[in-house]
Amino acid sequence: MAELNPYIPFLSEITEVIKHTEIEYTFRMTYTGDVKPGQFFEVSLPKFGEAPISVSGIGDGTVDLTIRKVGKVTDEIFENYVGDTLFLRGPYGNGFDIENYKGKEILLVAGGTGLSPVKGIVDYFSAHPNDCKSFTLLVGFKSPKDMLFKKDFEEWEKNIKVVLTVDYPDDDYSGNCGLVTHYIPELLVKDLKEAVGIVVGPPVMMKCVISDLLAKGFFEENLWISQERKMCCGIGKCGHCKIDDTYICLDGPVFNYTKGKFLKD
């Protein structure tokens, strides 16, 4: 029996479109199968190409793909609405394993769109707060206009601790200001042996946050990061995401820090 061509995508219907900002929407797509937070799909449209998009939500028969309008493919995706279809391949990558964090003190730090690939983790523990000892979400956005998942924050705050901050406040904003690293010293951890950290965002932000968490006493083996770097084919063939002997799309994009700290461009 001939093997199936791994580059052939399948059709997925758009069931809902959620606008967050002028250039960031969540497309809720039909999908049945196993998927983890942090994994990604290749989303494509004929004649326009394809783009890797992280899973930002997992539903019953659906997955959420939060997409930023930044190029040829994503510009065309934004022309599609509920009832239309997109082509998907995946899910790819190893994702975040929820089992690694159950029963722990969890600190999740995200910067900007870095919240998308870890949103599934927040959704899970917000809905199952007894599955962990504590959960703190520390998120930073550039400005109030750049905030994602505003309605979800309202639900999360009911069951977990949320620290939300922006770099550049406007006149109508009255919340926290400054970089996420400013708030790390204030975060209390009862038992560092049972504390885990998840950090996703721009490379410089992740570097600084990891440094602060290590200084705070976190163990390297209890830290996880996501390295979403130049992923194109999703199956380790094109080589665009390769760092030394590691393919980010296959071996990642989620890494324990004991491995991820060696992945340097």
Side-chain angles (χ1 to χ4, degrees):
M1 182 177 178
E3 292 186 6
L4 295 176
N5 186 335
Y7 286 103
I8 296 178
F10 56 88
L11 272 176
S12 176
E13 182 179 339
I14 302 171
T15 65
E16 187 176 357
V17 178
I18 305 166
K19 180 180 178 180
H20 303 297
T21 72
E22 292 301 316
I23 61 170
E24 286 147 330
Y25 290 13
T26 289
F27 290 78
R28 185 156 291 161
M29 311 297 302
T30 56
Y31 176 75
T32 301
D34 294 333
V35 62
K36 294 180 179 179
Q39 289 187 300
F40 66 97
F41 284 86
E42 293 284 349
V43 183
S44 62
L45 284 167
K47 298 188 294 183
F48 292 94
E50 64 180 2
I53 306 295
S54 296
V55 172
S56 61
I58 303 168
D60 185 9
T62 64
V63 291
D64 290 354
L65 303 175
T66 300
I67 300 175
R68 171 178 278 188
K69 187 178 181 181
V70 291
K72 181 179 179 181
V73 180
T74 53
D75 284 354
E76 186 63 23
I77 290 173
F78 270 54
E79 296 300 317
N80 290 263
Y81 304 94
V82 173
D84 292 341
T85 55
L86 301 174
F87 284 99
L88 304 182
R89 289 195 290 119
Y92 295 125
N94 57 0
F96 291 96
D97 190 345
I98 295 293
E99 295 298 322
N100 286 331
Y101 316 119
K102 287 184 176 180
K104 308 289 187 179
E105 294 183 66
I106 305 168
L107 171 60
L108 195 157
V109 187
T113 56
L115 179 58
S116 294
V118 292
K119 179 177 174 290
I121 303 174
V122 186
D123 286 337
Y124 177 85
F125 285 104
S126 175
H128 306 86
N130 293 328
D131 281 1
C132 63
K133 290 185 176 179
S134 65
F135 194 108
T136 300
L137 172 63
L138 173 56
V139 183
F141 291 105
K142 186 176 182 180
S143 74
K145 293 181 180 179
D146 296 302
M147 289 183 183
L148 306 178
F149 314 116
K150 292 180 181 178
K151 290 185 178 180
D152 295 283
F153 273 100
E154 295 174 6
E155 291 299 314
W156 294 339
E157 289 174 339
K158 296 176 183 178
N159 293 318
I160 64 175
K161 180 178 180 180
V162 175
V163 180
L164 175 63
T165 182
V166 301
D167 297 338
Y168 304 103
D170 56 30
D171 293 337
D172 297 325
Y173 180 76
S174 59
N176 296 313
C177 300
L179 302 176
V180 290
T181 49
H182 176 76
Y183 297 91
I184 290 177
E186 302 175 7
L187 302 177
L188 299 178
V189 178
K190 293 181 180 179
D191 184 358
L192 285 168
K193 292 182 180 179
E194 295 296 321
V196 297
I198 302 165
V199 184
V200 184
V204 172
M205 169 264 182
M206 289 199 295
K207 178 181 179 180
C208 293
V209 171
I210 289 289
S211 177
D212 286 355
L213 293 182
L214 292 175
K216 196 175 180 69
F218 275 76
F219 295 94
E220 287 190 354
E221 60 268 26
N222 289 342
L223 298 175
W224 279 264
I225 60 175
S226 181
Q227 296 266 43
E228 299 180 1
R229 175 195 182 274
K230 300 178 182 178
M231 297 183 297
C232 293
C233 71
I235 56 177
K237 299 299 183 182
C238 72
H240 284 84
C241 70
K242 189 178 181 183
I243 301 178
D244 297 327
D245 61 348
T246 299
Y247 288 88
I248 303 301
C249 68
L250 293 179
D251 304 309
V254 176
F255 294 94
N256 184 272
Y257 183 67
T258 56
K259 169 70 174 178
K261 68 178 180 179
F262 297 110
L263 300 176
K264 299 178 182 179
D265 288 331

